[in-house]
């Protein structure tokens, strides 16, 4: 069973919604215009309830099916990125400096497409809760929604989400029966030495050398302290210091990202980072402060729900287009918090050979919107058939 016919019928409408959303990209929790537009469209479909103001500018909409049954949660993220869209792009962002470069305009559109179909047909039991969340890229809008009690308030039993995937064939699905995406932590190191003349280093305590030494030593956590068969990434992504060729600066700043799946590995990294920063500070004669910020947890699918979602994906795109055990990757995703609260699954939906996520040339592929909407719609009908 390919894309749902009724959804294919209104695919041109979906393109219009998607491109309108693309023109009004908003950051973080401040998805004000986006939420207003989504609300306006949902009202036109005749969904049963619309609750705004959740996690600042998130929305939960309810569609009642026929007869008793559980509530199934379907989630889309709505926020954009602080990237300037290239000039000349079609339906270019009207918010300078902001851009939908992760395809969340497409995710929102796919969930709207499913909402339209489900509100028209109601060929399912129980209820559907449509979760439109802000702040996936930063802050963790999903975490805030969970902390605000969305799962209990709307009696949600299970949750599902999709993310588009450049490089995966158009319309193909990929998921995994357990861990899918990593936990992400951030470390920041502030080094204070003693600045001075570049020609008289013996009179200084050079934070540049300390920063270089720390960055090198931090990489040995992966290569020397860590079991080779476990997943771990540590990337030093920023070192800032200095102002001139003949000045040894007073301070230096280091920052980076840590990706793990296993909490034991995460704890080991915290301990070793602390030891390395303290040890290097002594060795280089500087002071150093480490800030370790724990971020999104690992995104872990429920095995049975992931298998079920893969079955639904096969109904839509065919067995050859579905990878049910596609391995894990080191990216991160705040849907992890919803999966901690309820069983469910997160899947990637291929959007073909396009620019990568977060690249200024990226654009969501409108051709996959009916595929994603059909996936959500069939998932509900298959999970909760009318009896
Ligand atoms: Zn992103
Ligand atoms: Zn994204």
């Amino acid at each position: 069973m390919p894309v749902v016919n009724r959804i294919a019928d209104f695919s041109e409408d979906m393109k219009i919604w998607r491109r309108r959303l693309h023109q009004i990209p908003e950051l973080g929790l401040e998805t004000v215009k986006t939420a207003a537009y989504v609300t306006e469209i949902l009202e036109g479909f005749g969904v049963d309830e619309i609750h705004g103001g959740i996690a600042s500018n998130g929305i939960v909409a309810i569609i009642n099916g026929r007869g008793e049954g559980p509530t199934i949660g379907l989630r889309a993220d709505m926020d954009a990125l602080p990237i300037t869209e290239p000039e000349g792009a079609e339906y270019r962002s009207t918010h300078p400096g902001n851009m939908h470069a992760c395809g969340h305009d497409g995710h929102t559109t796919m969930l709207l497409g499913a909402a339209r179909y489900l509100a028209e047909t109601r060929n399912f039991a129980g209820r559907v809760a449509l979760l439109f969340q802000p702040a996936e890229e930063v802050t963790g809008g999903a975490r805030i929604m969970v902390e605000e009690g969305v799962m209990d308030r709307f009696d949600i039993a299970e949750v599902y989400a999709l993310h588009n995937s450049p490089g995966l064939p158009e319309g193909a699905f990929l998921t995994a029966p357990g861990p899918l995406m990593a936990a992400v932590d951030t470390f920041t190191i502030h080094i204070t030495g003693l600045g001075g003349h570049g020609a008289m280093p013996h009179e200084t305590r050079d934070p540049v050398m300390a920063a270089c030494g720390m960055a090198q030593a931090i990489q040995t956590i992966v290569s020397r302290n860590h079991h080779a068969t476990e997943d771990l990434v540590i990337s030093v992504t920023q070192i800032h210091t200095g102002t001139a060729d003949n000045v040894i600066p007073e301070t230096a700043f280091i920052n980076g990202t840590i990706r793990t799946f296993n909490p034991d590995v995460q704890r080991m990294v915290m301990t070793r980072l602390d030891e390395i920063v303290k040890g290097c500070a002594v060795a280089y004669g500087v002071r150093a402060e480490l800030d370790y910020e724990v971020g999104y947890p690992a995104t872990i699918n429920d095995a049975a729900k992931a298998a079920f979602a893969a079955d639904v994906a096969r109904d839509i795109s065919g067995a050859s287009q579905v990878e049910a055990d596609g391995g894990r990757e080191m990216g991160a995703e705040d849907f992890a918090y919803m999966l901690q609260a309820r069983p469910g699954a997160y899947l990637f939906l291929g959007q073909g050979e396009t620019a990568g996520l977060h690249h200024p040339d990226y654009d969501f592929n409108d051709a996959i919107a009916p595929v994603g909407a059909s996936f959500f719609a069939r998932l509900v009908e298959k999970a909760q058939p009318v009896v």
Side-chain angles (χ1 to χ4, degrees):
M1 183 184 302
V3 165
V4 175
N5 284 338
R6 175 64 190 127
I7 291 175
D9 286 346
F10 62 69
S11 60
E12 282 303 309
D13 292 344
M14 294 178 73
K15 196 183 281 187
I16 291 166
W17 308 335
R18 208 283 291 181
R19 294 181 175 194
R20 177 63 192 143
L21 290 165
H22 190 84
Q23 288 184 304
I24 53 167
E26 297 172 293
L27 304 183
L29 293 167
E30 299 306 313
T31 52
V32 179
K33 288 189 202 172
T34 306
Y37 185 64
V38 168
T39 302
E40 181 190 320
I41 292 182
L42 287 172
E43 283 169 351
F45 298 160
V47 302
D48 296 292
E49 299 170 31
I50 301 176
H51 304 269
I54 294 172
S56 296
N57 290 294
I59 299 163
V60 176
I62 302 291
I63 305 172
N64 296 321
R66 301 180 202 178
E68 292 297 302
T71 302
I72 194 162
L74 306 175
R75 172 273 208 169
D77 39 17
M78 300 192 289
D79 57 320
L81 287 157
I83 295 175
T84 298
E85 189 156 27
E87 287 198 35
E90 213 187 336
Y91 47 87
R92 184 179 184 228
S93 164
T94 59
H95 295 173
N98 293 358
M99 177 186 170
H100 267 297
C102 204
H104 298 184
D105 49 349
H107 302 165
T108 300
T109 298
M110 294 193 289
L111 193 52
L112 286 171
R116 179 169 176 175
Y117 170 84
L118 291 167
E120 274 180 11
T121 54
R122 314 240 177 191
N123 191 23
F124 61 94
R127 305 191 308 167
V128 175
L130 309 159
L131 308 164
F132 293 93
Q133 76 152 84
E136 190 285 322
E137 300 285 359
V138 290
T139 314
R143 172 181 56 78
I144 299 171
M145 282 181 124
V146 170
E147 285 173 359
E148 287 183 2
V150 157
M151 297 298 164
D152 290 334
R153 179 178 167 192
F154 297 101
D155 200 21
I156 294 167
E158 52 192 287
V159 287
Y160 296 89
L162 287 177
H163 202 295
N164 77 92
S165 182
L168 193 64
E170 188 177 298
F173 288 85
L174 183 146
T175 190
L180 184 62
M181 300 185 84
V184 53
D185 297 344
T186 305
F187 66 94
T188 304
I189 304 163
H190 292 278
I191 301 169
T192 306
L194 177 65
H197 201 294
M200 298 162 207
H202 60 287
E203 293 179 356
T204 70
R205 296 202 171 253
D206 188 351
V208 178
M209 289 299 108
C212 294
M214 282 184 203
Q216 298 271 15
I218 286 167
Q219 290 306 313
T220 67
I221 299 174
V222 181
S223 64
R224 303 294 86 180
N225 305 136
H226 177 61
H227 196 293
T229 59
E230 283 270 5
D231 304 272
L232 173 63
V233 171
I234 303 178
S235 292
V236 175
T237 51
Q238 300 191 74
I239 299 181
H240 297 292
T241 183
T243 53
D245 66 285
N246 57 359
V247 176
I248 290 172
E250 184 90 357
T251 62
F253 168 89
I254 303 175
N255 171 247
T257 189
I258 296 158
R259 308 296 171 112
T260 59
F261 280 96
N262 181 341
D264 291 338
V265 172
Q266 189 181 32
R267 276 190 287 277
M268 181 277 288
V269 172
M270 284 183 201
T271 303
R272 284 299 292 145
L273 258 183
D274 189 55
E275 289 168 355
I276 286 169
V277 169
K278 283 182 179 149
C280 284
V282 172
Y284 288 93
V286 297
R287 282 186 290 120
E289 262 177 55
L290 169 68
D291 286 328
Y292 191 102
E293 193 183 323
V294 175
Y296 299 169
T299 301
I300 301 174
N301 284 339
D302 177 89
K305 304 294 181 198
F308 171 71
D311 263 348
V312 174
R314 286 186 199 99
D315 288 349
I316 303 298
S317 293
S320 66
Q321 294 294 299
V322 179
E323 180 57 76
D325 194 357
R328 51 179 75 175
E329 65 162 75
M330 304 310 283
E333 164 60 64
D334 79 342
F335 187 64
Y337 291 102
M338 292 193 178
L339 286 174
Q340 283 185 334
R342 292 294 185 272
Y346 183 87
L347 297 86
F348 293 105
L349 171 57
Q351 79 146 16
E353 293 302 326
T354 68
L357 301 173
H358 295 204
H359 190 280
D361 291 336
Y362 171 86
D363 190 24
F364 180 82
N365 179 357
D366 287 306
I368 66 168
V371 180
S374 297
F375 167 79
F376 281 134
R378 279 286 179 246
L379 185 123
V380 171
E381 291 177 342
K382 195 162 176 154
Q384 298 173 191
V386 178
V387 284

